[in-house]
Amino acid sequence: MHANSLSHPANGKSSGKRNWSITYRIGIPLLVLATGALGYQAFKTYYIPAYGDKPEELAYLEDADPRTLLGGDLTHYKFGDVSFSEPAANLPWQLEKMFDDGDGNFERPFKAASRQSQGSNADGLGPIYNNTSCEACHAGDGRTEPVIGGSLLVRLSVPGQDAHGGPMPHPVYGGQLGDLATEGVRPEAQVAIEWEEIPGTYGDGEAYSLRRPHMTLEDPGYGPFGEDTMLSARGAPALFGIGLLDAVTDETIIAGADPDDADGDGISGEVNWV
């Protein structure tokens, strides 16, 4: 055995070169990751403005008549079926990501879970329901169309009040009728509706006509409703502005309450606690 044989591995390759190769393979990805993280932080800190990703999207407000900007820099002029479903133009991108995630769930048509679809993000429909997606009733994030079997629903109550002072739900059917159901399950009932035209006249003499719904529940799936059951036709409300209202603190709302019109402005209001 030669004296210098211990300084070389059995395969004849330099161990120093191998160590350098390992360091190279590990170090380069770490360097790229670190550089990317620092670049992202710099981008987020110095490039993204306080209001939105693209300040030029708000440029149209500079030329607008100030009297039309009732929402300040939240105002937009998008019409049609997207007018209520767009995020605010001044929304920071971090919050716009949350908006898009929530809007995706809101638009998604759900279906009854099955063994074949287990784990699908569309699972979860039923067994009794009114529609297959949120947006099916809140069309375009706006108001519903008054159509039974589409987006008009029926609220149920019986005489009395619940623990919070609200309407007393039906003891069997609850507070909202489910007129649809998954396969093998009976819907709670079917709704028949007739409209009564009620004419009237405005103060300036112009005529108008309102419609009053008269509803009956047919084919109850889980026993009779009872003679004291009260029905109310409801339309899904528009959703725009909910995030802004949610940002108002309880303290601000309470401070604005004026149930006895103490300031004499002819407006009285009290906090609606739920």
Side-chain angles (χ1 to χ4, degrees):
M1 180 180 291
H2 295 286
N4 63 356
S5 63
L6 295 178
S7 63
H8 299 280
N11 59 9
K13 294 182 179 179
S14 170
S15 60
K17 184 177 181 180
R18 182 168 57 184
N19 292 338
W20 180 86
S21 176
I22 294 173
T23 303
Y24 176 83
R25 290 199 302 268
I26 296 176
I28 291 300
L30 290 177
L31 179 61
V32 172
L33 182 63
T35 302
L38 290 173
Y40 170 77
Q41 289 297 324
F43 173 78
K44 186 172 70 171
T45 303
Y46 299 107
Y47 176 77
I48 296 179
Y51 288 96
D53 294 350
K54 301 177 181 179
E56 64 272 14
E57 291 182 352
L58 301 178
Y60 67 89
L61 299 175
E62 298 176 1
D63 300 325
D65 186 333
R67 292 172 298 179
T68 68
L69 303 181
L70 300 182
D73 57 4
L74 282 169
T75 307
H76 73 77
Y77 299 94
K78 297 178 181 178
F79 298 96
D81 57 2
V82 300
S83 57
F84 297 141
S85 60
E86 295 293 306
N90 64 1
L91 198 65
W93 70 268
Q94 297 94 333
L95 297 181
E96 188 168 347
K97 170 64 166 58
M98 297 174 63
F99 176 93
D100 290 338
D101 289 345
D103 195 47
N105 285 322
F106 193 82
E107 296 174 352
R108 180 177 295 116
F110 288 92
K111 60 184 179 181
S114 65
R115 185 169 62 181
Q116 290 77 15
S117 66
Q118 185 176 5
S120 168
N121 60 8
D123 283 351
L125 181 66
I128 297 174
Y129 58 94
N130 295 111
N131 224 316
T132 57
S133 71
C134 303
E135 194 172 38
C137 290
H138 304 264
D141 297 340
R143 296 180 61 188
T144 183
E145 295 183 2
V147 180
I148 287 290
S151 50
L152 190 70
L153 57 86
V154 177
R155 297 288 291 175
L156 306 172
S157 63
V158 295
Q161 293 184 337
D162 66 9
H164 303 286
M168 180 70 74
H170 192 279
V172 175
Y173 291 92
Q176 182 169 314
L177 185 75
D179 58 340
L180 299 173
T182 55
E183 184 177 359
V185 179
R186 291 194 65 181
E188 292 183 330
Q190 299 301 315
V191 181
I193 185 168
E194 295 182 357
W195 297 96
E196 175 189 1
E197 295 288 338
I198 303 177
T201 306
Y202 291 110
D204 62 359
E206 182 181 356
Y208 65 81
S209 180
L210 302 177
R211 295 197 304 167
R212 173 182 295 165
H214 294 278
M215 296 176 294
T216 55
L217 303 180
E218 302 174 348
D219 193 22
Y222 303 93
F225 285 93
E227 295 295 329
D228 59 348
T229 300
M230 294 177 283
L231 310 178
S232 176
R234 302 293 180 89
L239 301 173
F240 56 87
I242 292 178
L244 297 175
L245 183 60
D246 192 48
V248 179
T249 64
D250 290 350
E251 291 74 17
T252 300
I253 296 175
I254 294 170
D258 187 14
D260 302 317
D261 192 20
D263 58 8
D265 64 354
I267 302 174
S268 60
E270 58 186 69
V271 178
N272 180 26
W273 293 101
V274 178

